[in-house]
């Protein structure tokens, strides 16, 4: 029989007790990011993984790689074309329009899998997780600062090194049109030097040429006009203000060649980059998209958002220490004395910051201690027949070799546990 395996570019994530495995880092990243989102008073939104394919065609733009070649779409049993979402923004806006909430303001977050049929490589998967934010209904200004503040909080929480945030402004509709014309005029005489992909971008959305991976195009772009000269003073001021206010917390660089892979952006855009990621060096991206809601049939809803690629982000975390202490609880009573489980229950209720791992498997003390060590426990609590009869327990420190194990009364055990 053929072996059934996971699909190319799709990971199984499994928390295996090793704090430094990618899975453990991903799960812990998700937990901490959720806390940070809540501390900014963002509300959760959860949309379906499957959507009408037209949603992404209309939102991402038909020049985007996402729609052209990366979308996972297929016909359902009713012959309707549906797609696995490649990103979260379009679904959030679809949902807000459907609920007729597109006239109010919202501060939202989401977390979940996205799918893009890309060629898998380091940091690039076909199923990957994003943690995203969408701030809806606020015009340019305060939400830009709020989003950069959230990003800085997340980078600081995980103490990421060697990373920086690139910011740019794509101007208003008029600035953008004027700039696109200037860029097209500049590239026109070099058309024979552009590959078919860049020629297509030039014809359909010239800004996307700035994102070309072709070395010859990159060279040509060195002398191309910069969007800087087409922006309003207020746009340039916004970039300076953000850099001045947050540049001492996270490294921020104004990069006027930054464009995004999705067509819906206008105004302020950004990406966070790390030199430790290799070719796929952006672990987060976003920007303002004031026209997406009306383009999808809703009201005029100025909006800004961002999404973090969780796998890429988690892979950057070094020296990961779990915030909570881990204690293994070992019982050695031959008849699985129920009283010990009551003690474990009481311990959990007196200190919720400690993780208490009850050893469920039968076996010798040696085997159970081996497992506790492997799980990286800070302490073990041992209760055998003798201890149970005497109303005592053994506390054995596993991390600090200087510290001896001690026998304590159950009351002393509770007092000790409270202070961990
Ligand atoms: P994006 O730049 O396409 O933006 O994706 C955001 C992040 O998702 C990237 O920076 C990257 O870390 C991660 N990512 C993208 N593709 C892959 C992949 N194939 N494998 C692993 N990670 C990947 C968006 O998706 C926008 N919806 C962000 C946004 C929200 N803009 C406004 N609101």
């Amino acid at each position: 029989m053929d072996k059934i395996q996971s699909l190319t570019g799709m990971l199984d994530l499994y928390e295996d007790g090793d704090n430094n495995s990618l899975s453990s880092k991903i799960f812990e990243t998700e937990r901490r990011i959720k806390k940070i989102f809540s501390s900014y008073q963002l509300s959760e939104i959860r949309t379906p993984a499957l959507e009408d394919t037209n949603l992404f065609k209309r939102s991402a733009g038909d020049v985007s790689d996402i729609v052209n070649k990366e979308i996972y779409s297929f016909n359902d049993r009713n012959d309707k074309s549906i797609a696995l979402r490649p990103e979260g923004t379009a679904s959030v806006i679809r949902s807000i329009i459907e609920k007729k909430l597109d006239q109010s303001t919202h501060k939202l977050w989401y977390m979940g899998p996205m799918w893009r049929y890309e060629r898998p490589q380091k940091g690039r998967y076909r199923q990957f997780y994003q943690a995203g934010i969408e701030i809806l209904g606020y015009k340019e200004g305060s939400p830009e600062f709020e989003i950069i503040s959230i990003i800085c909080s997340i980078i600081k929480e995980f103490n990421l090194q060697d990373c920086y945030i690139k910011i740019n402004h794509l101007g208003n509709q008029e600035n953008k049109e004027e700039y696109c014309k200037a860029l097209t005029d500049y590239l026109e005489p070099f058309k024979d030097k552009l590959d078919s992909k860049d020629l297509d971008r030039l014809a359909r959305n010239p800004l996307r040429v700035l994102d070309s991976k072709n070395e010859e195009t990159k060279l040509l772009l060195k002398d191309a006009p910069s969007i800087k000269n087409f922006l309003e003073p207020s746009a340039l001021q916004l970039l300076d203000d953000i850099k001045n206010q947050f540049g001492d917390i996270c490294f921020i660089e104004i990069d006027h060649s930054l464009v995004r892979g999705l067509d819906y952006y206008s105004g302020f855009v950004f990406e966070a980059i790390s030199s430790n990621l290799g070719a796929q060096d952006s672990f987060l991206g976003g920007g303002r998209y004031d026209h997406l809601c009306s383009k999808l049939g809703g009201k005029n809803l100025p909006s800004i958002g961002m999404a973090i690629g969780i796998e890429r982000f988690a892979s950057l975390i070094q020296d990961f220490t779990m915030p909570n202490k881990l204690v293994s609880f070992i019982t050695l009573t031959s008849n699985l004395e129920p009283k010990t489980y009551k003690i474990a229950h009481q311990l959990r209720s007196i200190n919720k910051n400690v993780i208490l791992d009850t050893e469920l498997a039968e076996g010798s003390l040696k085997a159970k201690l081996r497992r506790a060590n492997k799980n990286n426990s800070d302490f073990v609590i041992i209760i055998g027949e003798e201890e149970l009869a005497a109303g005592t327990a053994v506390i054995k420190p596993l991390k600090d070799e200087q510290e001896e194990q001690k026998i304590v009364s159950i009351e002393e055990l509770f007092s000790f546990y409270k202070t961990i």
Side-chain angles (χ1 to χ4, degrees), residues 93-155:
I93 297 299
R94 193 255 325 124
S95 171
I96 291 293
I97 296 173
E98 213 169 308
K99 289 185 171 62
K100 301 199 171 27
L101 294 173
D102 49 339
Q103 258 179 333
S104 9
T105 55
H106 307 275
K107 297 199 278 180
L108 305 170
W109 70 266
Y110 51 86
M111 208 174 272
M114 310 288 158
W115 293 264
R116 295 183 192 176
Y117 196 88
E118 299 194 75
R119 196 170 44 77
Q121 63 179 92
K122 184 171 174 253
R124 190 160 73 183
Y125 306 98
R126 288 186 176 168
Q127 175 174 306
F128 58 97
Y129 285 77
Q130 279 189 348
I133 296 174
E134 311 297 347
I135 300 184
L136 315 178
Y138 303 89
K139 59 182 181 26
E140 182 172 284
S142 45
E144 269 76 358
F145 290 93
E146 183 83 339
I147 262 198
I148 292 295
S149 160
I150 297 172
I151 295 171
C152 289
S153 296
I154 293 172
I155 289 177

Side-chain angles (χ1 to χ4, degrees), residues 66 70 86-90 110 114-116 118 121 123-130 132-134 147 260-262 264-265 270-272 277 280 282-289 304-313:
I66 292 180
E70 293 168 8
E87 56 111 30
T89 312
Y110 51 86
M114 310 288 158
W115 293 264
R116 295 183 192 176
E118 299 194 75
Q121 63 179 92
R124 190 160 73 183
Y125 306 98
R126 288 186 176 168
Q127 175 174 306
F128 58 97
Y129 285 77
Q130 279 189 348
I133 296 174
E134 311 297 347
I147 262 198
R260 304 267 304 125
L262 293 141
Y264 50 62
Y265 293 104
F270 53 88
E271 274 181 14
L277 281 172
Q280 302 304 315
S282 148
F283 59 91
L284 156 177
R288 183 161 276 283
Y289 54 95
I304 182 171
M306 68 109 182
I308 301 170
I310 303 268
E311 290 81 356
R312 288 187 200 171
F313 187 91

Side-chain angles (χ1 to χ4, degrees), residues 184-200:
T184 312
D185 289 349
Y186 169 79
L187 287 169
E188 198 66 35
F190 305 110
K191 264 180 149 176
D192 54 332
K193 294 208 163 98
L194 301 181
D195 61 21
S196 58
K197 194 170 172 181
D198 287 337
L199 277 175
D200 186 46

Side-chain angles (χ1 to χ4, degrees), residues 325-330 332 343 347 350 354 356 365 369 372 377-384 387 391-420:
K325 291 271 191 242
L326 176 64
V327 176
S328 289
F329 187 84
I330 297 178
L332 292 168
I343 295 172
L347 287 172
I350 60 172
V354 176
L356 189 68
L365 175 61
L369 281 176
S377 296
D378 296 278
F379 298 95
V380 276
I381 294 169
I382 307 165
I383 303 184
E387 287 79 17
T392 58
V394 176
I395 301 172
K396 183 176 168 62
L398 291 187
K399 296 246 170 94
D400 189 346
E401 283 174 7
Q402 308 297 324
E403 249 188 275
E404 296 274 306
Q405 71 173 46
K406 53 185 175 201
I407 301 175
V408 295
S409 70
I410 297 297
E411 282 68 38
E412 286 167 336
L413 174 67
F414 287 153
S415 313
F416 160 79
Y417 199 84
K418 226 181 255 174
T419 61
I420 299 178

